[in-house]
Amino acid sequence: MSTSTEKKEKLQSLQRRDSYLAKAPNQIQLLEKDKLHGTRFSDKLKEHNQFPLRPTKLEILQVNVGYMCDLTCEHCHVDAGPTRKEIMTKETMEDILKAIDKTDVKTVDLTGGAPEMNPHFIWFVEELTKRNVQTIVRSNLTILVSNKKFRTYPQFFKDHGVEVIASMPCYTQDNVDKQRGSGVFNRSIEALKVLNELGYGMADSGLNLHLVYNPGGPSLPPEQKSLENDYKVRLKEDWNISFNNLYTITNLPISRFLDFILAAGRYEEYMDKLVNAYNPVAAENVMCKNTISVDWQGNLYDCDFNQMLQLKVASKSRHISEFDEDLLADRNIILGQHCYGCTAGAGSSCQGATT
């Protein structure tokens, strides 16, 4: 295969390439059987008297409103991209609102793809605001400067008190563009400047802007606070950009990152790093304990990563239309080898390090 063909394929989703790994059961087969590496995660929990893993009080609904995205990042665990057509309907969003009305959930974390691309996104955020729910939008930044329509979204975010968590895997152009595509860094900087002008990331504004770092290759993230300081210095000096916090997230060995480490011949090396870095303190604070993940069809999962592997919750309440908080509280969390990614080193969650 020529270099140009390899580069073109790299910029396509696994689904678009008709890859073996595009199907979740094939990823599970590889991780749990064909290339099972190290102690089974469930056995590791048993060694530390942490099995079974059980939920605590439900605090966060993480809602994936669709897999469509304007980017095709090489590390994406969602396998999102412009050719993905899975989009949450307004009816499913209405079911989510009914579920929220029955619970004490105060945080709804909207993700994708690029969640802004869902045609009902504006309506959904407005409805969440009416319920006094803290709304988080996980933005890739580039969508906010992509065309006239989306350029109005930063002001919309401000008007509705939306918290923005934005992907920014490095403070240098070369590293960002390598992982996320040519031109992404400059467009991300443009979007960050727009958000800053509105008050996002500024002291005492009440408008939170957090950035997300994940390694570009098969390595664990560095210490979160130290890296945050580096980001703040470089982005301020180079671009006069401010933000609140940096969240470091470990790449889990699923979807396009799994494809990446397999193609690079570094799967075993990476799994060794994750297994050997297991931290029982991080395991106590994993996000699946206080979060339920909802996919674009309304199915329920312990976390966003289990969603991508199509591992539904072990409960009779498995769809948002039949949401039952008591049933969901009385379940064991579904585990697999990929879970080592959330328990390695300082731990990893959608809110960054856990220890």
Side-chain angles (χ1 to χ4, degrees):
M1 186 181 294
S2 69
T3 302
S4 61
T5 301
E6 289 176 347
K7 185 176 181 180
K8 184 177 180 181
E9 282 206 349
K10 180 180 175 182
L11 297 176
Q12 295 177 342
S13 67
L14 298 175
Q15 185 191 68
R16 180 75 168 180
R17 284 186 257 159
D18 197 26
S19 166
Y20 171 81
L21 294 176
K23 293 180 171 57
N26 293 340
Q27 294 184 50
I28 295 171
Q29 172 72 25
L30 187 149
L31 287 165
E32 305 297 332
K33 294 181 181 179
D34 296 347
K35 286 185 173 291
L36 176 66
H37 201 76
T39 304
R40 283 197 179 277
F41 186 75
S42 56
D43 290 335
K44 180 65 71 172
L45 288 180
K46 291 174 184 176
E47 289 177 13
H48 294 272
N49 297 315
Q50 294 174 304
F51 183 86
L53 203 61
R54 300 278 292 180
T56 55
K57 180 176 175 56
L58 178 61
E59 297 175 340
I60 302 170
L61 275 186
Q62 187 170 64
V63 180
N64 191 310
V65 297
Y67 302 159
M68 185 181 293
C69 190
D70 58 319
L71 301 179
T72 315
C73 304
E74 70 176 10
H75 66 285
C76 181
H77 72 278
V78 180
D79 194 31
T83 61
R84 299 301 297 263
K85 305 302 182 186
E86 298 91 339
I87 289 289
M88 181 176 285
T89 64
K90 190 174 182 180
E91 289 73 23
T92 300
M93 291 178 175
E94 288 171 340
D95 285 336
I96 292 170
L97 295 171
K98 291 175 185 175
I100 291 170
D101 290 340
K102 296 189 295 184
T103 71
D104 292 327
V105 167
K106 290 300 181 184
T107 301
V108 176
D109 187 344
L110 301 179
T111 184
E116 299 96 330
M117 295 181 78
N118 185 293
H120 310 295
F121 175 82
I122 293 287
W123 172 85
F124 194 36
V125 171
E126 289 174 341
E127 289 298 315
L128 292 171
T129 303
K130 291 176 186 177
R131 288 162 171 78
N132 197 31
V133 170
Q134 174 59 55
T135 304
I136 296 171
V137 171
R138 294 187 180 267
S139 181
N140 67 18
L141 291 175
T142 63
I143 192 68
L144 301 178
V145 293
S146 62
N147 62 43
K148 184 177 180 180
K149 171 188 174 183
F150 293 118
R151 283 178 180 273
T152 66
Y153 279 41
Q155 182 65 54
F156 173 78
F157 292 164
K158 178 179 179 178
D159 292 343
H160 291 79
V162 171
E163 181 173 308
V164 178
I165 300 181
S167 300
M168 195 68 175
C170 193
Y171 43 72
T172 66
Q173 181 174 349
D174 287 347
N175 285 340
V176 171
D177 286 0
K178 181 178 182 296
Q179 185 180 119
R180 305 183 67 210
S182 178
V184 169
F185 180 79
N186 286 335
R187 284 181 283 155
S188 297
I189 293 296
E190 181 184 356
L192 288 171
K193 287 183 176 181
V194 171
L195 290 165
N196 274 181
E197 288 170 3
L198 291 169
Y200 272 97
M202 300 300 179
D204 303 321
S205 70
L207 297 170
N208 289 330
L209 170 62
H210 308 302
L211 302 185
V212 174
Y213 164 89
N214 61 289
S219 59
L220 297 179
E223 195 274 326
Q224 182 168 281
K225 194 62 182 177
S226 175
L227 186 61
E228 177 182 288
N229 291 335
D230 292 342
Y231 262 69
K232 288 192 171 183
V233 170
R234 286 295 302 273
L235 289 177
K236 191 67 177 177
E237 289 182 351
D238 295 348
W239 304 99
N240 196 29
I241 285 171
S242 300
F243 65 94
N244 296 103
N245 301 117
L246 179 75
Y247 297 152
T248 58
I249 296 182
T250 301
N251 291 315
L252 267 69
I254 65 174
S255 195
R256 287 214 290 267
F257 189 74
L258 176 58
D259 178 66
F260 168 77
I261 55 177
L262 286 169
R266 302 182 71 177
Y267 170 82
E268 287 80 9
E269 171 196 339
Y270 189 63
M271 291 306 298
D272 273 341
K273 286 182 180 179
L274 296 182
V275 173
N276 293 335
Y278 177 83
N279 181 352
V281 177
E284 287 296 327
N285 298 303
V286 284
M287 63 183 178
C288 51
K289 285 191 169 186
N290 71 342
T291 301
I292 288 289
S293 172
V294 188
D295 77 2
W296 66 280
Q297 294 176 299
N299 298 307
L300 305 182
Y301 305 83
D302 297 303
C303 69
D304 191 48
F305 305 112
N306 279 7
Q307 178 186 149
M308 299 312 143
L309 293 174
Q310 298 176 9
L311 299 170
K312 295 181 184 178
V313 290
S315 171
K316 291 182 179 179
S317 177
R318 304 182 79 191
H319 191 273
I320 196 66
S321 63
E322 54 190 24
F323 186 89
D324 187 312
E325 189 172 3
D326 290 336
L327 286 176
L328 288 167
D330 187 25
R331 75 185 197 279
N332 292 341
I333 292 168
I334 300 294
L335 308 170
Q337 293 302 89
H338 63 289
C339 298
Y340 275 111
C342 290
T343 58
S348 182
S349 76
C350 288
Q351 284 75 43
T354 59
T355 65

Tab-separated table of all heavy atoms in Angstrom, residues 59-91:
chain	number	residue	atom	x	y	z
A	59	GLU	N	-24.902	10.844	39.548
A	59	GLU	CA	-24.737	12.295	39.521
A	59	GLU	C	-24.702	12.871	38.106
A	59	GLU	O	-25.067	14.024	37.894
A	59	GLU	CB	-23.441	12.686	40.244
A	59	GLU	CG	-23.438	12.309	41.723
A	59	GLU	CD	-22.108	12.597	42.389
A	59	GLU	OE1	-21.089	12.719	41.660
A	59	GLU	OE2	-22.073	12.705	43.618
A	60	ILE	N	-24.260	12.067	37.132
A	60	ILE	CA	-24.034	12.574	35.779
A	60	ILE	C	-24.685	11.667	34.747
A	60	ILE	O	-24.536	10.441	34.803
A	60	ILE	CB	-22.522	12.669	35.476
A	60	ILE	CG1	-21.816	13.576	36.495
A	60	ILE	CG2	-22.288	13.181	34.055
A	60	ILE	CD1	-20.302	13.518	36.412
A	61	LEU	N	-25.401	12.267	33.815
A	61	LEU	CA	-25.818	11.571	32.591
A	61	LEU	C	-24.913	12.057	31.474
A	61	LEU	O	-24.867	13.258	31.182
A	61	LEU	CB	-27.273	11.886	32.238
A	61	LEU	CG	-28.384	11.075	32.895
A	61	LEU	CD1	-29.729	11.475	32.287
A	61	LEU	CD2	-28.172	9.575	32.745
A	62	GLN	N	-24.170	11.145	30.882
A	62	GLN	CA	-23.355	11.505	29.727
A	62	GLN	C	-24.091	11.040	28.481
A	62	GLN	O	-24.343	9.850	28.300
A	62	GLN	CB	-21.971	10.880	29.801
A	62	GLN	CG	-21.044	11.384	28.689
A	62	GLN	CD	-19.611	10.950	28.897
A	62	GLN	OE1	-19.309	9.767	28.870
A	62	GLN	NE2	-18.706	11.906	29.095
A	63	VAL	N	-24.447	11.991	27.631
A	63	VAL	CA	-25.337	11.716	26.502
A	63	VAL	C	-24.583	11.895	25.187
A	63	VAL	O	-24.113	13.002	24.880
A	63	VAL	CB	-26.560	12.650	26.529
A	63	VAL	CG1	-27.486	12.354	25.351
A	63	VAL	CG2	-27.310	12.511	27.857
A	64	ASN	N	-24.451	10.814	24.448
A	64	ASN	CA	-23.840	10.908	23.121
A	64	ASN	C	-24.952	11.154	22.106
A	64	ASN	O	-25.746	10.264	21.822
A	64	ASN	CB	-23.067	9.640	22.776
A	64	ASN	CG	-22.210	9.826	21.541
A	64	ASN	OD1	-22.672	10.292	20.506
A	64	ASN	ND2	-20.945	9.464	21.644
A	65	VAL	N	-24.998	12.368	21.572
A	65	VAL	CA	-26.111	12.757	20.700
A	65	VAL	C	-25.854	12.413	19.233
A	65	VAL	O	-26.657	12.759	18.360
A	65	VAL	CB	-26.444	14.253	20.839
A	65	VAL	CG1	-26.915	14.562	22.245
A	65	VAL	CG2	-25.257	15.128	20.447
A	66	GLY	N	-24.757	11.718	18.947
A	66	GLY	CA	-24.513	11.276	17.582
A	66	GLY	C	-23.038	11.160	17.267
A	66	GLY	O	-22.193	11.825	17.882
A	67	TYR	N	-22.708	10.312	16.310
A	67	TYR	CA	-21.316	10.037	15.979
A	67	TYR	C	-20.801	10.888	14.814
A	67	TYR	O	-19.646	10.757	14.414
A	67	TYR	CB	-21.140	8.555	15.632
A	67	TYR	CG	-21.557	7.601	16.733
A	67	TYR	CD1	-21.870	6.269	16.455
A	67	TYR	CD2	-21.638	8.021	18.063
A	67	TYR	CE1	-22.257	5.392	17.460
A	67	TYR	CE2	-22.020	7.155	19.072
A	67	TYR	CZ	-22.332	5.828	18.759
A	67	TYR	OH	-22.719	4.959	19.758
A	68	MET	N	-21.638	11.769	14.267
A	68	MET	CA	-21.202	12.637	13.180
A	68	MET	C	-20.242	13.697	13.706
A	68	MET	O	-20.451	14.260	14.767
A	68	MET	CB	-22.401	13.313	12.514
A	68	MET	CG	-22.034	14.136	11.285
A	68	MET	SD	-23.493	14.950	10.551
A	68	MET	CE	-24.410	13.513	9.973
A	69	CYS	N	-19.163	13.943	12.926
A	69	CYS	CA	-18.151	14.915	13.339
A	69	CYS	C	-17.523	15.512	12.088
A	69	CYS	O	-17.506	14.881	11.022
A	69	CYS	CB	-17.085	14.217	14.189
A	69	CYS	SG	-15.924	15.350	15.001
A	70	ASP	N	-16.995	16.714	12.235
A	70	ASP	CA	-16.297	17.335	11.106
A	70	ASP	C	-14.843	16.888	11.029
A	70	ASP	O	-14.150	17.205	10.053
A	70	ASP	CB	-16.385	18.867	11.191
A	70	ASP	CG	-15.797	19.422	12.483
A	70	ASP	OD1	-16.037	18.804	13.539
A	70	ASP	OD2	-15.136	20.476	12.438
A	71	LEU	N	-14.365	16.142	12.047
A	71	LEU	CA	-12.989	15.654	12.066
A	71	LEU	C	-12.951	14.135	12.092
A	71	LEU	O	-13.954	13.482	12.432
A	71	LEU	CB	-12.250	16.188	13.298
A	71	LEU	CG	-12.155	17.704	13.463
A	71	LEU	CD1	-11.415	18.034	14.756
A	71	LEU	CD2	-11.471	18.346	12.272
A	72	THR	N	-11.780	13.571	11.760
A	72	THR	CA	-11.561	12.129	11.877
A	72	THR	C	-10.220	11.928	12.571
A	72	THR	O	-9.214	11.641	11.936
A	72	THR	CB	-11.553	11.442	10.493
A	72	THR	OG1	-12.630	11.928	9.709
A	72	THR	CG2	-11.681	9.927	10.628
A	73	CYS	N	-10.184	12.111	13.878
A	73	CYS	CA	-8.932	12.050	14.645
A	73	CYS	C	-8.454	10.602	14.779
A	73	CYS	O	-9.253	9.690	14.992
A	73	CYS	CB	-9.129	12.655	16.028
A	73	CYS	SG	-9.753	14.356	15.995
A	74	GLU	N	-7.142	10.414	14.710
A	74	GLU	CA	-6.609	9.056	14.683
A	74	GLU	C	-6.793	8.311	16.002
A	74	GLU	O	-6.769	7.083	16.031
A	74	GLU	CB	-5.126	9.067	14.301
A	74	GLU	CG	-4.188	9.628	15.348
A	74	GLU	CD	-2.725	9.520	14.938
A	74	GLU	OE1	-2.472	9.175	13.767
A	74	GLU	OE2	-1.849	9.765	15.779
A	75	HIS	N	-7.023	9.033	17.102
A	75	HIS	CA	-7.135	8.387	18.410
A	75	HIS	C	-8.593	8.156	18.825
A	75	HIS	O	-8.847	7.601	19.879
A	75	HIS	CB	-6.478	9.262	19.478
A	75	HIS	CG	-7.190	10.555	19.688
A	75	HIS	ND1	-7.102	11.593	18.793
A	75	HIS	CD2	-8.037	10.985	20.658
A	75	HIS	CE1	-7.846	12.595	19.219
A	75	HIS	NE2	-8.427	12.266	20.343
A	76	CYS	N	-9.561	8.580	18.011
A	76	CYS	CA	-10.964	8.672	18.435
A	76	CYS	C	-11.560	7.320	18.841
A	76	CYS	O	-11.653	6.403	18.024
A	76	CYS	CB	-11.797	9.285	17.309
A	76	CYS	SG	-13.538	9.492	17.721
A	77	HIS	N	-11.993	7.211	20.092
A	77	HIS	CA	-12.579	5.951	20.564
A	77	HIS	C	-14.022	5.781	20.092
A	77	HIS	O	-14.582	4.695	20.191
A	77	HIS	CB	-12.511	5.862	22.094
A	77	HIS	CG	-13.457	6.758	22.810
A	77	HIS	ND1	-13.194	8.090	23.047
A	77	HIS	CD2	-14.690	6.529	23.338
A	77	HIS	CE1	-14.201	8.632	23.692
A	77	HIS	NE2	-15.123	7.717	23.883
A	78	VAL	N	-14.622	6.864	19.573
A	78	VAL	CA	-16.000	6.797	19.059
A	78	VAL	C	-16.011	6.363	17.597
A	78	VAL	O	-17.031	5.926	17.087
A	78	VAL	CB	-16.691	8.174	19.220
A	78	VAL	CG1	-18.115	8.156	18.713
A	78	VAL	CG2	-16.668	8.617	20.684
A	79	ASP	N	-14.857	6.450	16.927
A	79	ASP	CA	-14.772	6.243	15.479
A	79	ASP	C	-15.689	7.230	14.759
A	79	ASP	O	-16.359	6.909	13.777
A	79	ASP	CB	-15.132	4.805	15.086
A	79	ASP	CG	-14.721	4.467	13.652
A	79	ASP	OD1	-13.721	5.029	13.172
A	79	ASP	OD2	-15.414	3.653	13.005
A	80	ALA	N	-15.727	8.459	15.275
A	80	ALA	CA	-16.587	9.500	14.708
A	80	ALA	C	-15.985	10.043	13.418
A	80	ALA	O	-14.800	9.876	13.135
A	80	ALA	CB	-16.759	10.633	15.710
A	81	GLY	N	-16.827	10.716	12.637
A	81	GLY	CA	-16.346	11.326	11.407
A	81	GLY	C	-17.482	11.874	10.572
A	81	GLY	O	-18.666	11.677	10.890
A	82	PRO	N	-17.161	12.552	9.471
A	82	PRO	CA	-18.180	13.163	8.614
A	82	PRO	C	-19.132	12.170	7.968
A	82	PRO	O	-20.257	12.531	7.605
A	82	PRO	CB	-17.344	13.888	7.541
A	82	PRO	CG	-16.003	14.086	8.169
A	82	PRO	CD	-15.802	12.899	9.055
A	83	THR	N	-18.701	10.907	7.831
A	83	THR	CA	-19.547	9.917	7.158
A	83	THR	C	-20.450	9.160	8.125
A	83	THR	O	-21.274	8.353	7.680
A	83	THR	CB	-18.684	8.903	6.389
A	83	THR	OG1	-17.824	8.208	7.312
A	83	THR	CG2	-17.845	9.602	5.330
A	84	ARG	N	-20.304	9.404	9.427
A	84	ARG	CA	-21.157	8.721	10.391
A	84	ARG	C	-22.522	9.402	10.429
A	84	ARG	O	-22.610	10.619	10.591
A	84	ARG	CB	-20.536	8.729	11.796
A	84	ARG	CG	-19.206	8.032	11.908
A	84	ARG	CD	-19.249	6.568	11.497
A	84	ARG	NE	-20.096	5.753	12.313
A	84	ARG	CZ	-19.672	5.001	13.347
A	84	ARG	NH1	-18.391	5.002	13.691
A	84	ARG	NH2	-20.523	4.261	14.029
A	85	LYS	N	-23.567	8.634	10.309
A	85	LYS	CA	-24.923	9.190	10.208
A	85	LYS	C	-25.771	8.964	11.463
A	85	LYS	O	-26.937	9.377	11.502
A	85	LYS	CB	-25.648	8.574	9.001
A	85	LYS	CG	-24.899	8.731	7.678
A	85	LYS	CD	-24.624	10.187	7.334
A	85	LYS	CE	-23.917	10.322	5.986
A	85	LYS	NZ	-23.515	11.718	5.703
A	86	GLU	N	-25.185	8.307	12.484
A	86	GLU	CA	-25.958	8.027	13.691
A	86	GLU	C	-26.221	9.327	14.444
A	86	GLU	O	-25.285	9.971	14.932
A	86	GLU	CB	-25.193	7.050	14.595
A	86	GLU	CG	-24.928	5.690	13.965
A	86	GLU	CD	-23.611	5.618	13.215
A	86	GLU	OE1	-23.085	6.701	12.828
A	86	GLU	OE2	-23.106	4.500	13.011
A	87	ILE	N	-27.483	9.698	14.565
A	87	ILE	CA	-27.865	10.957	15.194
A	87	ILE	C	-29.065	10.716	16.122
A	87	ILE	O	-30.047	10.090	15.732
A	87	ILE	CB	-28.245	12.020	14.137
A	87	ILE	CG1	-27.000	12.491	13.395
A	87	ILE	CG2	-28.947	13.210	14.767
A	87	ILE	CD1	-26.052	13.340	14.205
A	88	MET	N	-28.990	11.223	17.348
A	88	MET	CA	-30.087	11.078	18.306
A	88	MET	C	-31.313	11.867	17.850
A	88	MET	O	-31.196	13.015	17.418
A	88	MET	CB	-29.646	11.538	19.694
A	88	MET	CG	-30.714	11.398	20.771
A	88	MET	SD	-30.131	11.855	22.429
A	88	MET	CE	-29.114	10.435	22.841
A	89	THR	N	-32.492	11.259	17.971
A	89	THR	CA	-33.737	11.921	17.596
A	89	THR	C	-34.260	12.779	18.736
A	89	THR	O	-33.858	12.635	19.901
A	89	THR	CB	-34.817	10.894	17.238
A	89	THR	OG1	-35.125	10.128	18.421
A	89	THR	CG2	-34.356	9.955	16.133
A	90	LYS	N	-35.178	13.668	18.399
A	90	LYS	CA	-35.800	14.519	19.407
A	90	LYS	C	-36.614	13.675	20.381
A	90	LYS	O	-36.681	13.980	21.579
A	90	LYS	CB	-36.701	15.553	18.737
A	90	LYS	CG	-37.214	16.638	19.669
A	90	LYS	CD	-37.970	17.701	18.895
A	90	LYS	CE	-38.445	18.829	19.794
A	90	LYS	NZ	-39.182	19.875	19.044
A	91	GLU	N	-37.209	12.595	19.896
A	91	GLU	CA	-38.005	11.705	20.760
A	91	GLU	C	-37.131	11.087	21.858
A	91	GLU	O	-37.547	10.982	23.021
A	91	GLU	CB	-38.664	10.601	19.922
A	91	GLU	CG	-39.801	11.075	19.028
A	91	GLU	CD	-39.330	11.879	17.824
A	91	GLU	OE1	-38.144	11.726	17.414
A	91	GLU	OE2	-40.148	12.657	17.274
